[in-house]
């Protein structure tokens, strides 16, 4: 028995480092630029959206531009530079929250919340996922990366782990974004390219949101119950032990007037974050600046000296460096595929494959095809501009409603963001939570399969009943 245990431990120790996994994918992407022929669709500017779209019936093969393997480190540096906005956001959020956490406000507040929700903790999970699902119906999930530390602290106070905390924000937001009820960046662009009225068909998309929320909450709650009963079953048990060791000597502080002031400051800044993102078109740069102010104002309000604020800020940022760098390293994959000019070729072949499928499976095929392409083109509006001009003629040819084609695009573009290492949203959340990609996949793998089955059923249903009327 001891020999088996020793072998099991060695197996865990030998699992590749996250950076090794990402680097392997970079090598694969580089090899593909030597294997897959380069191709090109001509682009024209679409008057309705202002986007550059492809001319679907004018694909041509062009001269290969394979990426030199010796240039891989250069591409990684390019990825870090091009991802600098979200990398710095992660580091700044980590620093800012470390300052706020050191005030003891979150610890005192979650102690009160835990008592209030005694024996009703499970209500917290669907409440959080629903809030973020509704919020992300019209904006990107990246906006809410900064909420993850709050959810993690709350989850731990109720006997859950960091995975549950991240899930309450990230997976709730994922559902809202992926179903695209009123999302101007995905649904809006795709419908404009399809000649559909803006946000038409919202009723069925909202129904899809509810279905995905139900299955996702069942999964998260089931996992949360299991690890609360037996913490050793937590996929991130090592991380939780480290956190418990850090916190074991700290008694839960009582809420004081200073804590209330810090709490109000945090609420005001998060309110500004949400309002600025939806009304003033704030990007990641503005969000990062806001968190710097939150650290300064919150720390000073509690009575920290400038030097204490600086020291705690650096300590928090340092703890997230590992995860933040992954985002830039993974970005090298899409840069290499773009430099190798094989993205259009992939779209061309996948479109032909879709047209050859049986009618009942074509909606599912389109959904799965968009999943694959999202690993190559990480921008939602960019993916719509590249794929919809190909998908729409195919949809017309196979008698699929254009609304169904948009739905398949939404699911494919959104859902895979929570398993792809090239997703800045996913890597941002994992960096904040200090969760490795391999452990996330151990948790997320089953749920993603459930999402695939659910999404396929909903697309087939839409295709069967002629989801439209357009």
């Amino acid at each position: 028995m001891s020999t088996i245990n020793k072998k099991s431990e060695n197996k865990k120790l030998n699992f590749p480092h996250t950076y090794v996994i990402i680097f392997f994918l970079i090598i694969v992407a580089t090899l593909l630029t030597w294997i897959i022929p380069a191709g090109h669709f001509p682009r024209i500017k679409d008057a309705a959206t202002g986007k550059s779209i492809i001319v679907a019936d004018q694909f041509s093969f062009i001269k290969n531009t394979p990426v030199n393997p010796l240039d891989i480190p250069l591409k990684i540096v390019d990825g870090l530079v091009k991802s600098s906005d979200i990398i710095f956001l992660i580091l700044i959020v980590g620093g800012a929250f470390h300052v706020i956490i050191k005030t003891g406000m979150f610890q005192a507040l979650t102690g009160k919340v835990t008592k209030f929700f005694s024996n009703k903790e499970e209500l917290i999970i669907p409440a959080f996922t629903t809030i973020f699902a509704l919020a992300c119906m019209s904006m990107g999930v990246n906006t809410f990366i900064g909420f993850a530390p709050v959810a993690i602290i709350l989850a731990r106070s109720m006997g859950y782990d960091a995975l549950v905390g991240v899930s309450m924000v990230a997976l709730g937001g994922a559902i809202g974004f992926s179903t695209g009820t009123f999302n101007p960046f995905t649904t809006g662009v795709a419908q404009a390219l399809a000649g559909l009225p803006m946000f038409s068909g919202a009723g069925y998309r909202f129904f899809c949101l509810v279905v995905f929320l139900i299955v996702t909450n069942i999964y998260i709650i089931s996992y949360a119950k299991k690890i609360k009963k037996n913490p050793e079953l937590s996929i991130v048990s090592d991380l939780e032990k480290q956190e418990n060791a850090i916190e074991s000597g700290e008694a839960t502080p009582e809420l004081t007037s200073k804590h209330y002031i810090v709490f109000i400051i945090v609420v005001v800044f998060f309110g500004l974050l949400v309002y600025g993102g939806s009304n003033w078109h704030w990007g990641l740069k503005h969000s990062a600046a806001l968190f710097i102010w939150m650290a300064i104002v919150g720390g000073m309000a509690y009575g920290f000296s400038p030097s204490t604020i600086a020291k705690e800020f650096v300590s928090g940022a340092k703890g997230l460096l590992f995860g933040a760098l992954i985002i830039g390293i993974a970005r090298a994959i899409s840069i290499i595929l773009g430099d190798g000019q094989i993205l259009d070729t992939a779209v061309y072949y996948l479109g032909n494959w879709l047209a050859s499928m049986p009618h009942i499976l074509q909606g599912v095929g389109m959904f799965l095809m968009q999943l694959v392409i999202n690993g190559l083109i990480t921008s939602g509006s960019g993916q719509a501009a590249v794929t919809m001009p190909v998908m729409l003629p195919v949809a017309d040819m196979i008698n699929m409603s254009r609304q169904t084609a948009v739905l398949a695009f939404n699911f494919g573009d959104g859902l895979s963001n929570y398993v792809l290492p090239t997703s800045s949203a996913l890597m941002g959340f994992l960096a904040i939570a200090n969760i490795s990609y391999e452990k996330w996949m151990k948790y997320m793998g089953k749920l993603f399969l459930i999402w695939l089955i659910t999404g396929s059923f909903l697309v087939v249903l839409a295709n069967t009943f002629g989801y439209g009327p357009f």
Side-chain angles (χ1 to χ4, degrees), residues 18-28 69 72-73 76 329 333:
T18 303
Y19 284 11
V20 174
I21 295 171
I22 301 295
F23 194 78
F24 173 76
L25 294 175
I26 291 173
I27 292 171
V28 170
I72 287 176
I76 291 173
I329 296 170
I333 296 171

Side-chain angles (χ1 to χ4, degrees), residues 75-117:
K75 303 301 180 186
I76 291 173
V77 174
D78 287 343
L80 290 166
V81 171
K82 291 182 178 180
S83 304
S84 59
D85 51 358
I86 193 165
I87 290 173
F88 284 119
L89 172 67
I90 297 302
L91 296 177
I92 289 168
V93 167
F97 265 97
H98 195 71
V99 172
I100 300 299
I101 286 169
K102 282 297 179 179
T103 68
M105 182 273 289
F106 283 127
Q107 294 89 322
L109 192 64
T110 52
K112 291 287 185 184
V113 171
T114 304
K115 287 179 184 177
F116 181 80
F117 281 97

Side-chain angles (χ1 to χ4, degrees), residues 228-247:
K228 184 168 185 176
K229 186 176 180 181
N230 185 359
E232 290 298 320
L233 295 177
S234 168
I235 293 171
V236 290
S237 58
D238 292 346
L239 174 63
E240 297 307 309
K241 285 174 184 175
Q242 288 174 14
E243 292 297 323
N244 290 337
I246 293 170
E247 297 169 4

Side-chain angles (χ1 to χ4, degrees), residues 187 191 196-197 200-201 205 401-408 467-470:
T187 305
Q191 287 187 325
L196 298 172
S200 57
R205 290 196 300 278
S401 75
R402 291 191 164 198
Q403 204 72 267
T404 302
V406 172
L407 184 72
Y467 174 40
F470 306 95

Side-chain angles (χ1 to χ4, degrees), residues 155 188 227 287 378 388 392:
I227 63 157
S287 300
T378 53
M388 294 313 292
L392 294 171

